[in-house]
Amino acid sequence: METQNIFIISDSSGATALTIAQTALSQFPDVKAEIRRFPFIQTDSILRGILKIALNKKAMIFHTLVSIDLSKMVKDFCKENGIYDFDCVQTPMNMLSQVTGEQPAHVPGLIHDLNQNYFERISAIEFAVENDDGKNPKGLLEADIVLLGVSRTSKTPLSLYLANQNQRVANLPIGPDLQLPEEVEEIDKDKMFGLLNTPEKLSKIRKQRMISYGLNADTPYSDPKNIKTELVYAKKLYRKIGCLTINVANKSIEETATIILESLNLDTTEFED
């Protein structure tokens, strides 16, 4: 099957259109797609160049352009050249306008206005980076959420996702051969979450990791027997701590994050753009 090219064009980060495209693609597991994102497009000359590339690549276009002129340029170009496009913002804006009787501001980037919430989110992301993989044990005491898990249980991507929900997250790798920092004993167990996965999935993930480094896939690190030992240790530790345990084997990052936020009685819609 031929690879389907998908272009994300936005006058902001393009995160909204990217999510919509990825959500749609997830329902077509046999479709191979290559997604390219073109963020912060606010001039017709640059947009025109991107559209020419899209035509050459026979790409589908998902766009979030609040400028009526730029959005119309995309729609007209696609119509003239037989390209499929999906407008992720003008359609809902028009609907809101019809229902409310109000006119949209048509100002790019308003969703990321530099308000207090924005700065808190940036601070939370910086905190997650500084406290990734147990780099700063003192940060464990300052965190809103502490993630524990053996290697490759999605601690880092989950930390960054939660940071985007304004949560200060620290994560800590654990294992039979790793010493826990003293700070762990001082953390409220309700703020700690133990992550698990199946030995089979962890072995596959770790083998792929080794291959990406140009190394032999079959190592003690990816050996299912050793992984089972690590997981037994993790389960015993979680029981001792009394923290909530989450098996991420069949869960997306979003699903795991929702479980954590709901366990803390946080409204998961409060942080969405």
Side-chain angles (χ1 to χ4, degrees):
M1 181 182 293
E2 205 173 294
T3 298
Q4 175 62 56
N5 288 291
I6 294 178
F7 280 21
I8 306 296
I9 304 177
S10 176
D11 51 28
S12 188
S13 68
T16 299
L18 178 62
T19 299
I20 292 172
Q22 289 176 329
T23 301
L25 275 171
S26 69
Q27 301 302 311
F28 299 88
D30 295 330
V31 173
K32 294 177 65 177
E34 182 176 331
I35 299 178
R36 293 181 63 183
R37 179 158 41 161
F38 299 89
F40 306 110
I41 305 303
Q42 297 184 13
T43 63
D44 56 2
S45 58
I46 294 178
L47 178 57
R48 196 173 293 111
I50 295 169
L51 292 174
K52 289 180 180 177
I53 298 172
L55 177 60
N56 184 52
K57 294 282 187 179
K58 299 179 181 177
M60 294 175 62
I61 298 176
F62 289 75
H63 51 103
T64 49
L65 296 162
V66 300
S67 162
I68 294 177
D69 291 339
L70 294 183
S71 180
K72 186 176 185 300
M73 182 185 296
V74 173
K75 292 175 183 176
D76 290 347
F77 184 91
C78 291
K79 186 175 181 179
E80 291 169 7
N81 292 280
I83 297 176
Y84 287 96
D85 78 291
F86 184 76
D87 189 332
C88 307
V89 68
Q90 290 290 341
T91 300
M93 278 170 53
N94 291 336
M95 182 174 66
L96 282 167
S97 181
Q98 290 174 16
V99 171
T100 65
E102 299 290 329
Q103 293 301 311
H106 293 295
V107 178
L110 281 184
I111 195 170
H112 299 297
D113 194 13
L114 300 185
N115 53 27
Q116 186 61 32
N117 185 63
Y118 174 84
F119 288 113
E120 287 175 358
R121 183 175 302 185
I122 295 301
S123 176
I125 293 172
E126 291 174 347
F127 184 90
V129 172
E130 292 168 2
N131 292 275
D132 182 47
D133 210 29
K135 287 187 291 191
N136 178 28
K138 296 296 181 185
L140 296 170
L141 302 176
E142 302 170 8
D144 300 315
I145 296 169
V146 175
L147 305 177
L148 307 175
V150 302
S151 177
R152 315 317 300 170
T153 46
S154 303
K155 296 186 298 298
T156 296
L158 181 56
S159 293
L160 291 173
Y161 183 88
L162 287 165
N164 268 290
Q165 316 301 316
N166 290 15
Q167 299 301 300
R168 292 159 64 84
V169 187
N171 72 70
L172 184 67
I174 62 169
D177 301 323
L178 297 175
Q179 185 173 354
L180 291 174
E182 297 176 357
E183 287 80 2
V184 170
E185 297 181 5
E186 303 177 47
I187 305 169
D188 181 350
K189 68 177 179 62
D190 291 333
K191 299 195 319 185
M192 301 176 72
F193 299 86
L195 306 180
L196 295 171
N197 205 326
T198 65
E200 296 76 19
K201 287 202 170 184
L202 277 179
S203 177
K204 183 178 179 180
I205 292 169
R206 292 183 181 185
K207 284 181 179 180
Q208 290 173 342
R209 185 75 168 176
M210 291 297 96
I211 292 172
S212 70
Y213 286 148
L215 301 174
N216 187 353
D218 296 313
T219 66
Y221 175 67
S222 60
D223 184 349
K225 184 178 179 182
N226 291 337
I227 292 174
K228 287 179 182 178
T229 301
E230 292 180 41
L231 292 173
V232 168
Y233 168 85
K235 291 175 183 177
K236 287 182 179 178
L237 176 64
Y238 300 157
R239 283 197 296 268
K240 180 181 177 182
I241 292 173
C243 63
L244 179 65
T245 299
I246 305 172
N247 192 324
V248 303
N250 296 307
K251 294 181 179 64
S252 66
I253 295 295
E254 293 84 357
E255 289 172 321
T256 305
T258 298
I259 292 171
I260 291 172
L261 293 172
E262 288 182 345
S263 78
L264 295 170
N265 294 317
L266 296 171
D267 182 359
T268 55
T269 64
E270 178 183 348
F271 311 103
E272 295 176 1
D273 289 331

